[in-house]
Amino acid sequence: MSSTTTTPTTPRRTRIGLVSGGLGAYWPQFPQLLPQLRRSARRVTARLAEFDADVVDVGFISDAEEGAAAAEKLRAADCDLIVGFLTTYMTATMLVPVAQRSGAPVLLINLQPTEAMDHATFGTGEWLAYCGACPLPEMANAFERVGVPFRSVSGYLEDERAWQRIGRWIRAAGVRGALRTGRHGLMGHLYPGMYDVSTDLTMVPANLGGHVEVLEFDDLRVRAMKADDAAVTAKLAETRAAFEIADSVVEEDLVWAARVSVGLDRLVDDFGLDSLAYYHRGLEGEIHERLGAGMILGSSLLTARSVPACGEYELRTSLAMLITDRLGAGGTFTELQALNFRDGVVEMGHDGPANLTVCARRPVLRGLGVYHGKRGWGVSVECDVRPGPVTLLGLGQSRDGRYRLVAAVGKVVEGPLLEIGNTTSRVDFGRDPGEWTDAWSASGVGHHWALATGDIIPELRALGGLSGLELVEVTD
């Protein structure tokens, strides 16, 4: 098997297309109107660029012919989201070609110059600069009739509430783009018996786009064995800077984990991976068992640099972790661990790799002679998620193969935690832990998910709207 790239993986930048416009019949009638609207368009371009996105601005259109030309430019630009800025009234025929041909979701924005008109001094020309709301119902009606989903944000140029809403659509479009173009590694085999984890690989591109790269543990083996002493030494230094090393860690096991981590880095770079899920059962300490047992350190470090990696062959959870990471919320591999009815919290987390970016304190590497439920031994990560609001996100699958987003919002609270080399957090959902657990389990989620920081439900709603994925919210 040959590698596909030798360039280190970096998160894909979001690409936003922008077309601004108004009705050309106005320009000779009101000579000051078009220059004012162009200034507004330049301001929108500048604000869009602040979202860490590449903006493809195809300029200002004034009629249907210019709209068709803009549509071709945006189609060729392969954007994640098209923003149509309605500066004043414009006909639907100017934007329908953009919506039909671009191949990307379209967001229409109506941002008038200020909060309100100055009625005492305004004439018709000044009023028309505030008339972007007028064509919105026309666009919605036309989009419906040509089969294009409609979405819009109305406000004024410096309206931060409107820009927050625009930002949600942009971030959601970035996630959709990351999934659409992503390369997702799947290495090893299914943890025996986990029906909910089993994944039809065709369903990933069918629901999300992207590519699943099927990997062998031998792909990792050859890279780990080729790791030189300098690379392993550098990885050990990185590890000691990132972790508190518990006394239970055996130096030989730590060195092995560092070697495997170097191999993982090269595997991710060689295959251009954006995420990775893995599992190998192994037998009697042979090399593949040792590789599987040695992956926790490297997978944690990969996840911290925005390449989510998780165990138990959990492809859909590595995808959920990719979603939460691209939304800036981290996301660590999680399952239910215990219910605490005395304190009213659900204790959740997982053994193995963790997301170091969401830890409440410096994570700990512990040496374990036994990995519960798995073969092998070595070093494992222990951390807890920062106190405050958190979002759970799982990627469920229905009987017909369709994916759905399953989410819930809670709050991580302080309290006693086990010190057994696992990630563990106490989450308060504001209701009886048993009732919440029953509701969460009935949602169609699998038994793994991503635990992310903050309340990202608005962004997940936007993602569902752009991707066509149903969002199931497990609420109070």
Side-chain angles (χ1 to χ4, degrees):
M1 181 182 293
S2 62
S3 62
T4 57
T5 180
T6 57
T7 302
T9 301
T10 56
R12 178 182 181 276
R13 282 177 61 83
T14 304
R15 185 175 301 169
I16 304 300
L18 173 64
V19 56
S20 306
L23 187 65
Y26 295 150
W27 313 152
Q29 296 175 328
F30 307 98
Q32 300 305 312
L33 179 59
L34 181 58
Q36 179 183 2
L37 300 182
R38 288 185 182 278
R39 288 194 295 273
S40 294
R42 288 194 292 272
R43 179 57 179 156
V44 167
T45 302
R47 286 298 302 259
L48 290 177
E50 293 175 5
F51 288 101
D52 192 29
D54 295 328
V55 180
V56 180
D57 187 350
V58 298
F60 201 100
I61 62 174
S62 300
D63 53 37
E65 290 75 18
E66 291 180 359
E72 286 304 303
K73 293 177 183 177
L74 291 170
R75 182 187 61 80
D78 189 28
C79 296
D80 299 308
L81 180 71
I82 305 298
V83 176
F85 179 24
L86 311 180
T87 66
T88 185
Y89 176 75
M90 56 195 299
T91 61
T93 189
M94 296 167 65
L95 282 184
V96 163
V98 172
Q100 287 182 309
R101 301 178 195 175
S102 67
V106 178
L107 170 68
L108 299 185
I109 61 173
N110 153 46
L111 301 178
Q112 62 190 39
T114 64
E115 293 175 278
M117 294 186 291
D118 184 350
H119 298 79
T121 63
F122 274 26
T124 302
E126 291 80 10
W127 155 60
L128 287 173
Y130 285 72
C131 200
C134 180
L136 266 179
E138 177 177 339
M139 299 297 173
N141 180 281
F143 279 26
E144 168 68 22
R145 292 164 70 180
V146 301
V148 173
F150 175 81
R151 55 192 69 85
S152 68
V153 172
S154 292
Y156 57 95
L157 274 177
E158 305 304 333
D159 182 354
E160 292 307 318
R161 292 173 300 178
W163 281 107
Q164 287 176 6
R165 294 168 59 201
I166 293 169
R168 288 174 191 152
W169 288 113
I170 291 174
R171 287 188 290 274
V175 173
R176 177 180 176 273
L179 294 169
R180 182 170 59 93
T181 62
R183 294 177 54 81
H184 312 295
L186 189 61
M187 185 169 68
H189 61 80
L190 180 71
Y191 188 105
M194 288 186 180
Y195 281 169
D196 66 317
V197 170
S198 63
T199 298
D200 179 345
L201 303 190
T202 308
M203 290 299 99
V204 174
N207 284 275
L208 306 173
H211 166 75
V212 179
E213 183 74 14
V214 177
L215 301 167
E216 303 281 355
F217 259 79
D218 285 324
D219 291 316
L220 174 61
R221 176 182 58 81
V222 295
R223 288 166 174 81
M225 293 303 98
K226 289 180 180 179
D228 56 35
D229 291 344
V232 174
T233 298
K235 184 62 68 173
L236 286 169
E238 179 185 354
T239 299
R240 291 191 169 97
F243 292 91
E244 177 185 335
I245 311 296
D247 293 340
S248 57
V249 171
V250 176
E251 183 67 17
E252 179 183 357
D253 294 341
L254 181 61
V255 173
W256 173 249
R259 174 175 291 277
V260 175
S261 181
V262 172
L264 273 173
D265 289 347
R266 293 175 179 173
L267 182 80
V268 165
D269 290 346
D270 287 347
F271 286 93
L273 301 181
D274 296 289
S275 69
L276 175 66
Y278 68 90
Y279 176 74
H280 184 81
R281 181 167 57 186
L283 185 66
E284 296 181 350
E286 49 82 37
I287 184 61
H288 299 94
E289 178 185 300
R290 294 293 292 129
L291 285 166
M295 287 185 64
I296 294 172
L297 169 63
S299 295
S300 299
L301 293 173
L302 280 174
T303 302
R305 67 177 178 94
S306 294
V307 184
C310 66
E312 297 186 6
Y313 212 60
E314 245 300 11
L315 175 60
R316 292 201 312 278
T317 298
S318 64
L319 292 169
M321 291 166 61
L322 182 67
I323 291 171
T324 56
D325 176 86
R326 297 304 189 266
L327 290 175
T332 194
F333 190 36
T334 305
E335 66 183 359
L336 295 172
Q337 293 180 323
L339 307 183
N340 187 325
F341 292 95
R342 180 187 60 220
D343 297 340
V345 298
V346 178
E347 297 185 39
M348 58 180 65
H350 210 285
D351 61 298
N355 189 333
L356 309 183
T357 68
V358 302
C359 293
R361 52 192 61 84
R362 193 178 186 203
V364 178
L365 269 187
R366 292 197 186 278
L368 299 180
V370 174
Y371 288 163
H372 69 274
K374 302 178 180 69
R375 292 173 179 165
W377 67 92
V379 297
S380 189
V381 176
E382 181 178 298
C383 81
D384 59 306
V385 176
R386 291 190 297 274
V390 290
T391 301
L392 279 56
L393 177 65
L395 203 58
Q397 180 174 325
S398 64
R399 188 173 183 177
D400 63 3
R402 294 187 182 184
Y403 286 0
R404 63 167 65 100
L405 303 168
V406 183
V409 174
K411 182 180 180 181
V412 168
V413 296
E414 298 276 10
L417 300 170
L418 295 175
E419 297 181 357
I420 57 172
N422 288 191
T423 298
T424 308
S425 297
R426 296 157 50 92
V427 187
D428 183 355
F429 293 98
R431 63 187 296 190
D432 176 80
E435 293 178 358
W436 179 88
T437 299
D438 291 337
W440 179 249
S441 300
S443 67
V445 72
H447 83 280
H448 297 129
W449 50 85
L451 177 60
T453 56
D455 180 351
I456 57 172
I457 291 294
E459 285 78 8
L460 294 176
R461 290 172 183 158
L463 175 61
L466 293 183
S467 65
L469 296 173
E470 176 190 8
L471 172 61
V472 178
E473 298 180 42
V474 179
T475 63
D476 296 343

